[in-house]
Amino acid sequence: MVNDLKQASRPIHGGNRQWAASMAGISPEQILDFSASINPLGTPKSAIAAIQSHLTDLGHYPDPEYTLLREALGKFHQLSPEWILAGNGVAELLTWVGRDLSQLSSTVLFTPAFTDYYRALKTFDCQIERYPFLLRTQDVSFDSELPEITNSHTKGILINNPHNPTGYLFTRDSILPYLEKFALVVIDEAFMDFLTPDQQQSLIDLVPLHPNLVILRSLTKFYSLPALRLGYAIAHPERLQRWQAWRDPWCVNSLAAAAGIAVLEDVEFQQQTWAWLKSAKSQLFKGLSQISGLNPLPNAANYLLVQTEIAGSLLQKELLQKDKILIRDCLSFPELGDRYFRVAVRLEDENQKLINAIRVMRFNKEPDLL
């Protein structure tokens, strides 16, 4: 009965180590977590130092305007701070996105879509129009012809770029037409930092030219700060002032703000991350590709969506109980279900543990040694 309840309450997001630990009968610290797409290099030393130096701030309220953080973000993106609003993670900002989108006739999503979009949109009774991706064996792309979207000037569109869970990267050119067609275009670029500057397809520089464009960014994934909850929105000041009036005061704590300012200047950590990802992702992709029954899909993100002949939920359960490894099943994505699972790219020795565990468990093959 207890196990049935645990199964029924399975998480819709990655990174729920407490749930996984209860399923496996171990402590959360024992779990090797591939379910959350967080930088495995760990929290930068610059962030730790900033937090330590601001511990005395715990006795004071944060600056309600987050002046220094917004100035640092403005410098990073070459924008005036008035175009930036710090948030308690992208999740909080999605709530206000949902409220704005609720004023339109409907919101277009390309599915499968990040599950928290549905939470934000349903909160304000938004009408949702779903347009599916075509998932191919060797590629993830749109169908040759997108379905006709009629009366788009009365609608909004919410895009994840790179897309979660497929990792597909929209080009700037592919998004530009939407700015003229939709009343509101929201682009969630939570994973864009994992691409090198020359690879990124961000539209941040276009925000001043388009009052109907909103960009969401996260500092918690790339800089391994998920417990601090720190994201930001870039949009026209009038929109951000409206959001500020809607939400609770002091949404970002002082330690998160201090860490955010520090990591934006941590060029060394940024370079280390890009170097790690290129090598580790290639290793993980190749290793999974060589296992019969698994087909990882090429993408631009720091995670892999893997097509599987084995039920993803079953593979998740066995890896967790036998090897203390947690992967992300795709049951919360109705379009994917048990035919797929998602894994973050981790350090190379950790990637190899996952590859070896699947080989031994399902295909009776001896593990490779690094």
Side-chain angles (χ1 to χ4, degrees):
M1 178 65 176
V2 173
N3 194 56
D4 289 342
L5 289 174
K6 291 176 182 177
Q7 288 286 359
S9 62
R10 64 187 311 114
I12 61 172
H13 296 288
N16 193 327
R17 295 191 305 157
Q18 191 61 49
W19 172 84
S22 67
M23 290 295 297
I26 57 179
S27 68
E29 292 74 22
Q30 294 177 276
I31 293 172
L32 179 55
D33 188 6
F34 280 85
S35 72
S37 302
I38 304 298
N39 191 336
L41 298 184
T43 306
K45 294 179 181 178
S46 58
I48 300 299
I51 291 170
Q52 291 175 335
S53 67
H54 284 78
L55 289 177
T56 55
D57 291 348
L58 292 177
H60 306 279
Y61 284 104
D63 167 16
E65 301 297 327
Y66 300 100
T67 305
L68 296 180
L69 175 58
R70 289 167 58 236
E71 287 178 352
L73 288 165
K75 179 181 178 181
F76 188 78
H77 291 295
Q78 298 181 329
L79 286 171
S80 172
E82 66 180 351
W83 295 79
I84 301 168
L85 180 69
N88 191 246
V90 168
E92 185 228 339
L93 300 169
L94 279 170
T95 299
W96 312 127
V97 163
R99 184 164 176 175
D100 270 0
L101 287 169
S102 71
Q103 303 305 304
L104 304 175
S105 62
S106 62
T107 298
V108 170
L109 291 180
F110 296 128
T111 58
F114 177 42
T115 51
D116 207 46
Y117 295 165
Y118 295 104
R119 187 272 308 168
L121 295 173
K122 288 179 180 178
T123 298
F124 298 100
D125 296 321
C126 295
Q127 296 298 312
I128 300 173
E129 293 186 22
R130 297 170 174 83
Y131 292 90
F133 273 109
L134 173 65
L135 297 175
R136 298 175 179 165
T137 303
Q138 296 298 326
D139 188 20
V140 181
S141 64
F142 278 126
D143 209 338
S144 56
E145 292 290 336
L146 275 176
E148 184 68 24
I149 303 175
T150 59
N151 298 319
S152 59
H153 64 280
T154 67
K155 301 174 181 178
I157 185 169
L158 175 53
I159 303 172
N160 210 188
N161 196 30
H163 180 263
N164 179 13
T166 67
Y168 178 86
L169 180 67
F170 294 84
T171 65
R172 280 172 58 99
D173 288 345
S174 69
I175 297 176
L176 288 178
Y178 299 144
L179 298 177
E180 306 302 328
K181 294 180 179 180
F182 287 89
L184 180 58
V185 177
V186 182
I187 307 175
D188 177 0
E189 297 183 352
F191 293 100
M192 191 68 79
D193 285 337
F194 285 96
L195 282 77
T196 59
D198 62 307
Q199 296 172 325
Q200 292 186 18
Q201 299 294 315
S202 177
L203 268 69
I204 286 176
D205 62 305
L206 298 182
V207 171
L209 303 176
H210 297 276
N212 63 330
L213 176 59
V214 175
I215 306 293
L216 303 179
R217 281 282 185 122
S218 171
L219 287 175
T220 60
K221 295 174 173 61
F222 186 88
Y223 296 104
S224 194
L225 298 166
L228 283 184
R229 313 304 309 128
L230 184 57
Y232 56 100
I234 298 176
H236 268 240
E238 294 82 358
R239 186 183 303 277
L240 298 182
Q241 289 165 11
R242 185 167 66 249
W243 290 8
Q244 178 68 26
W246 288 342
R247 67 182 190 164
D248 296 337
W250 308 299
C251 287
V252 178
N253 70 74
S254 295
L255 299 185
I261 293 169
V263 298
L264 289 170
E265 297 182 349
D266 197 337
V267 176
E268 181 180 358
F269 184 84
Q270 295 159 9
Q271 295 287 348
Q272 289 174 344
T273 297
W274 295 325
W276 149 75
L277 182 57
K278 182 178 180 180
S279 174
K281 183 176 179 180
S282 175
Q283 172 223 8
L284 182 59
F285 185 91
K286 181 179 179 181
L288 293 176
S289 298
Q290 293 174 343
I291 299 176
S292 175
L294 300 186
N295 179 36
L297 301 175
N299 69 33
N302 62 314
Y303 49 84
L304 294 174
L305 181 65
V306 184
Q307 196 171 22
T308 174
E309 295 178 2
I310 314 157
S313 58
L314 176 61
L315 191 59
Q316 180 196 60
K317 180 180 179 181
E318 294 194 10
L319 285 170
L320 184 58
Q321 294 182 339
K322 295 181 179 179
D323 299 279
K324 303 175 184 177
I325 293 174
L326 176 61
I327 64 173
R328 172 74 187 274
D329 70 37
C330 289
L331 294 180
S332 60
F333 301 102
E335 302 83 1
L336 300 179
D338 248 354
R339 298 170 297 144
Y340 294 86
F341 64 88
R342 196 194 71 188
V343 288
V345 181
R346 296 194 58 89
L347 301 178
E348 293 192 25
D349 62 328
E350 295 172 330
N351 293 338
Q352 196 62 53
K353 287 180 182 178
L354 173 65
I355 295 166
N356 290 344
I358 296 176
R359 281 178 174 165
V360 170
M361 181 185 307
R362 305 304 302 172
F363 305 106
N364 255 343
K365 293 186 178 180
E366 291 300 317
D368 291 337
L369 299 177
L370 284 177

